[in-house]
Amino acid sequence: MHILSLNAGSATLKFGVFDPASATPLMEATIEHPAVDAAAFDEIERRLRDAGMPAIDAVGHRVAHGGPRLSEAALVDADTEREIDQAAPLAPQHNPVALAGIRLARERWPGLPQVAVFDTAFHAGMPEEASLYAVPQAWRDVGVRRYGFHGLSHRHVLEAVSGALDRAPEDLRIISCHLGNGASVCAIDRGRSIDTSMGMTALEGLVMGTRSGDLDPGVQAFVARTLGLDPAQIEAALYHDSGLKALSGIGADLREIEARARQGHAGARTALQVHAYRVRKYIGAYAAAMGGCDAVAFTGGAGENSAALRRRILEGLQFLGVRLDEDRNESFGASGAAVAELQAPRSQVAVLAVRSREQWVIARETAAVLRRAERAAARQDFSMPVAISAHHVHLTQAAVEALFGTGHALRVLQPLSQPGFFAAEETVSVIGERGRLERVRVVGPCRAANQIEVSRTEAIRLGIEAPLRLSGDLAGSAEVTLTGPAGTLRTTGLIVARRHLHLTSADARRLGVQDRGEIEVALDTPRGTVLRHVALRVDDGAVLELHLDTDEANAAGLRGAGEGVLQSAACTARVCGQRDHENHASCETH
C-alpha cells in the first residue's frame, strides 16, 4: 500500500508518499506559502511523477481540529466534512485549508479512500481538571473546553523518546515541546497526554510566531472599548499580528530574530526572552502536574534547529535536575540524526531533540483506519458480558499479617469469575484525609504490592487524588491507611482502576487486536452508553468479561446481580470501535 500524506499548515503544504510497512518515506517535499488550490495539486502530481512514485492507494490529511465529536482519525465522508467545517471557527487558520485540500483530493482522486487525521485526537483523553474551563454550563454544553493541538507531533515525540531511551511509554513522564510558527507544550504521563498548552483554539499557551499565546480574557473587551476594534479585528490581530512578530517589531521568523538579537536589537532580545520564559514556565508546571519528569524533548522547526532556543529555555531548570551538554546541543543540527540525547552525563532528566515526522504519522494513522474498516466489515457480531467491580484491596502477605495477625492466611469466601482470583472473608477499613470506607473486601491471592481500588467518587470521599491506572501500575499512587482487627498499615497503592476487557488470545484474534490496544464498546442499556479507552488485557487463562467500576455502572444505569466484589451486570456490550496497538501504551496483564 502506498499512502499520500498531505499536511497543510499555516505557512507550508508538506506532502509525502509512504509505505506503512516501512518507516522510510518513499519521498517527502514541501511547498512554501501555498494556496491550497488546483495549482498546488498540479505541483504535487508533477513532483510525484518526476520522482517516479508508484500509484497511490489512499490519501491521509492532517486536520487541526476535530471539534467535540471527531476524536479519532476517520474515513472522509459527507458527515466528516461537515464536522470539520463546523470546527473551523476553533481553528480558523487551519481547518478551512485542510478542508479545501480534502475536497480537492476527493475530486482529483475520486476512487481513493481519504482519511482525516486530527491534531486534537492525541489529547482526547485529557482529565477534566486539564480540559475544563471554569465557564457557565451553557458554554460547555456547546463545546467550550480545552482540546489541544499538535497531537501528531507530540505522539511521534512519545514514540521517538521511548525508542531512544529504550524505555516503555508507560514508564515515562515526557514534556514535549513543539516549537515552530505554531507552538505548544504537552505533558505526556505514561503514554497519555494529560495536559497541553493550547486550548479550545490554537491561540492559548506559548508565545508563537504571530499568535499571542496566553492572554487575560479581559484584554479583548478593553481594546474593544478603548481602540474601537470589533471581534473580528481583535481575533485577526491575535492570530496574525501578535507573538514574536509584535514583540520583536521585525517579523515572526525566529532565525532573523536571533540574528538581530546578536546584533543588539532590543525588540528581538525581548521577544526571545518572553518566548523562552513562557516555554520554561510550562515545563515547570507540567513537571509538577506529573509529579516529576523523565525527559524534555524538542521538536518542530525551531525546536529541532535552534540550539540557542533550547539553551535559553532550559536555563534555570537545574532545580529539576536538567543539565544540557553544550557540545551535543550545538551539534544536533548538523548531525542529521532523527533523534538525539542532548543532556550532560550528570543530568537527572533526559533532554532530546526529535525530527518532526508528522507526514509519517498521518500515513500510519491512515493505514490503521483502513485496517479497522476492513476488520469491521469482516467481523461478526461480538458481544461480551459486563461485570461491575466494587471497591476492594489486594495485599501482600506481610500486609495480611500486619492487619490480621502473624501467620494469618486469607480465607476464601467465594471464587471470582476470573480464574485464580477469589473474594476473601477478610475486610479492612480504608482511611483517607477526610473520610473512610468500611468493610472493604480483600481479594486474593496475595500479591507483591498492596493495591487499593476505589471509584472516583469514593476517592473524593476519602479526600485523596487517586490516579487512573491499570491494575499493577502503582508508580506515584496515593497513600492511605488500612485498618484490620490486628493492626494498622500506612501504604501506597490507591488507584481508580481503568475500565478494561479481559479476553483470550482467540478472542483477540477474532477482534483483530493485541495487548497494546484499546477498544470502544457500546452497552446495551436504554441510555446507549459508549465507553472509550477500554484497555485490552489478553490472557489465555482469562474469561471474557468487561470490568467497570461502580461510578461507570451508575452513569450507564446498570445494576449488578447481587452484591460483592465483582457483580454480573444485567447487560452485554459490543465492540463499536478499535484503536491500533502500535500507537498506544501497552496494557499489563496479571
Side-chain angles (χ1 to χ4, degrees):
M1 177 182 291
H2 298 99
I3 294 175
L4 172 65
S5 294
L6 297 179
N7 182 355
S10 56
T12 60
L13 174 58
K14 300 176 182 177
F15 64 95
V17 178
F18 297 84
D19 177 355
S22 168
T24 303
L26 301 178
M27 75 161 290
E28 288 187 280
T30 299
I31 304 174
E32 298 286 346
H33 303 288
V36 179
D37 55 17
F41 275 70
D42 290 341
E43 176 69 7
I44 290 172
E45 285 197 313
R46 182 189 67 77
R47 295 199 191 185
L48 294 179
R49 285 195 304 270
D50 291 348
M53 286 296 100
I56 58 176
D57 301 298
V59 183
H61 303 262
R62 176 209 175 202
V63 181
H65 212 306
R69 295 183 180 86
L70 297 175
S71 58
E72 286 189 320
L75 279 167
V76 173
D77 55 18
D79 290 340
T80 304
E81 284 195 18
R82 182 172 58 255
E83 293 292 341
I84 294 170
D85 190 35
Q86 290 178 352
L90 302 174
Q93 285 188 303
H94 298 86
N95 269 36
V97 175
L99 189 56
I102 288 171
R103 288 169 173 165
L104 283 165
R106 295 185 79 183
E107 293 174 5
R108 187 67 58 111
W109 302 291
L112 298 184
Q114 312 272 332
V115 173
V117 182
F118 301 99
D119 254 340
T120 48
F122 184 61
H123 310 293
M126 283 197 305
E128 285 191 340
E129 56 262 33
S131 63
L132 291 183
Y133 288 117
V135 296
Q137 183 65 49
W139 297 18
R140 286 178 273 146
D141 288 343
V142 296
V144 175
R145 56 172 287 253
R146 303 186 71 250
Y147 294 91
F149 295 88
H150 295 132
L152 303 183
S153 180
H154 292 307
R155 174 173 290 172
H156 174 59
V157 165
L158 166 63
E159 296 162 358
V161 170
S162 173
L165 300 181
D166 194 24
R167 294 176 62 181
E170 59 267 29
D171 292 335
L172 289 169
R173 295 164 297 179
I174 301 169
I175 299 174
S176 172
C177 305
H178 177 101
L179 306 178
N181 190 53
S184 67
V185 180
C186 181
I188 307 175
D189 190 4
R190 298 173 177 85
R192 292 185 174 278
S193 168
I194 65 155
D195 205 347
T196 188
S197 57
M198 281 184 171
M200 188 178 86
T201 72
L203 277 177
E204 188 179 356
L206 305 179
V207 170
M208 292 168 254
T210 63
R211 287 173 249 167
S212 63
D214 288 338
L215 189 73
D216 183 335
V219 169
Q220 298 193 41
F222 174 78
V223 297
R225 291 192 302 268
T226 58
L227 300 179
L229 300 180
D230 62 34
Q233 291 173 310
I234 295 172
E235 184 177 53
L238 293 176
Y239 270 106
H240 303 293
D241 298 315
S242 300
L244 294 174
K245 177 182 178 181
L247 291 173
S248 69
I250 58 176
D253 191 317
L254 183 70
R255 293 164 296 187
E256 181 182 359
I257 293 172
E258 287 183 333
R260 295 292 295 276
R262 288 192 294 269
Q263 297 168 3
H265 190 285
R269 287 181 172 178
T270 296
L272 294 177
Q273 289 168 354
V274 173
H275 180 259
Y277 171 77
R278 192 70 60 86
V279 180
R280 189 184 312 122
K281 183 171 71 170
Y282 269 100
I283 291 173
Y286 288 163
M290 295 189 292
C293 174
D294 300 302
V296 177
F298 295 91
T299 193
E304 298 171 29
N305 296 313
S306 176
L309 174 62
R310 295 190 293 264
R311 184 175 59 253
R312 280 193 302 271
I313 290 169
L314 296 179
E315 287 175 351
L317 291 179
Q318 289 84 359
F319 74 98
L320 287 178
V322 179
R323 288 174 173 81
L324 187 66
D325 185 300
E326 291 292 349
D327 291 336
R328 287 182 175 182
N329 187 45
E330 292 291 339
S331 64
F332 176 73
S335 70
V339 57
E341 296 182 50
L342 310 180
Q343 73 274 8
R346 66 185 185 282
S347 182
Q348 299 172 27
V349 176
V351 178
L352 300 99
V354 179
R355 299 288 182 198
S356 178
R357 297 202 66 200
E358 289 177 305
Q359 279 73 257
W360 161 241
V361 178
I362 293 167
R364 191 184 60 190
E365 289 283 295
T366 298
V369 168
L370 298 178
R371 286 195 300 270
R372 288 198 296 270
E374 291 174 359
R375 288 198 297 260
R379 188 177 64 229
Q380 298 176 351
D381 184 43
F382 188 99
S383 63
M384 63 202 75
V386 180
I388 304 168
S389 179
H391 58 221
H392 60 276
V393 300
H394 302 273
L395 298 175
T396 65
Q397 179 58 37
V400 168
E401 296 191 27
L403 295 169
F404 298 100
T406 302
H408 187 89
L410 295 177
R411 299 184 294 268
V412 177
L413 176 64
Q414 63 183 40
L416 299 180
S417 55
Q418 293 305 313
F421 292 87
F422 61 87
E425 294 181 3
E426 290 80 3
T427 63
V428 298
S429 298
V430 179
I431 304 171
E433 300 298 325
R434 294 200 302 265
R436 60 192 290 150
L437 304 174
E438 301 290 356
R439 296 187 58 78
V440 179
R441 185 70 56 187
V442 178
V443 169
C446 289
R447 292 193 176 184
N450 297 320
Q451 180 172 301
I452 305 94
E453 298 182 33
V454 298
S455 69
R456 181 71 69 189
T457 299
E458 291 168 333
I460 293 171
R461 188 191 311 168
L462 292 171
I464 296 175
E465 183 64 30
L468 181 67
R469 297 283 178 79
L470 281 173
S471 179
D473 182 7
L474 302 179
S477 57
E479 285 192 10
V480 291
T481 299
L482 303 180
T483 299
T488 295
L489 176 69
R490 184 72 176 171
T491 181
T492 59
L494 182 73
I495 64 171
V496 175
R498 282 183 60 193
R499 60 181 76 112
H500 57 276
L501 173 66
H502 289 283
L503 70 168
T504 66
S505 56
D507 296 326
R509 284 193 298 272
R510 185 178 170 194
L511 284 174
V513 299
Q514 298 182 33
D515 277 346
R516 294 171 60 84
E518 297 176 349
I519 59 172
E520 294 181 0
V521 300
L523 303 176
D524 63 350
T525 66
R527 294 191 177 189
T529 306
V530 174
L531 302 174
R532 300 182 65 243
H533 301 301
V534 177
L536 297 170
R537 311 187 67 182
V538 179
D539 185 338
D540 282 335
V543 170
L544 180 68
E545 196 169 57
L546 175 67
H547 286 188
L548 310 179
D549 72 12
T550 51
D551 280 352
E552 293 167 327
N554 289 336
L558 296 180
R559 290 184 177 275
E563 297 183 357
V565 172
L566 200 61
Q567 312 167 44
S568 296
C571 86
T572 58
R574 59 181 174 81
V575 178
C576 62
Q578 296 172 284
R579 312 187 83 186
D580 271 16
H581 74 280
E582 62 263 29
N583 295 339
H584 300 277
S586 65
C587 306
E588 294 182 359
T589 61
H590 70 274

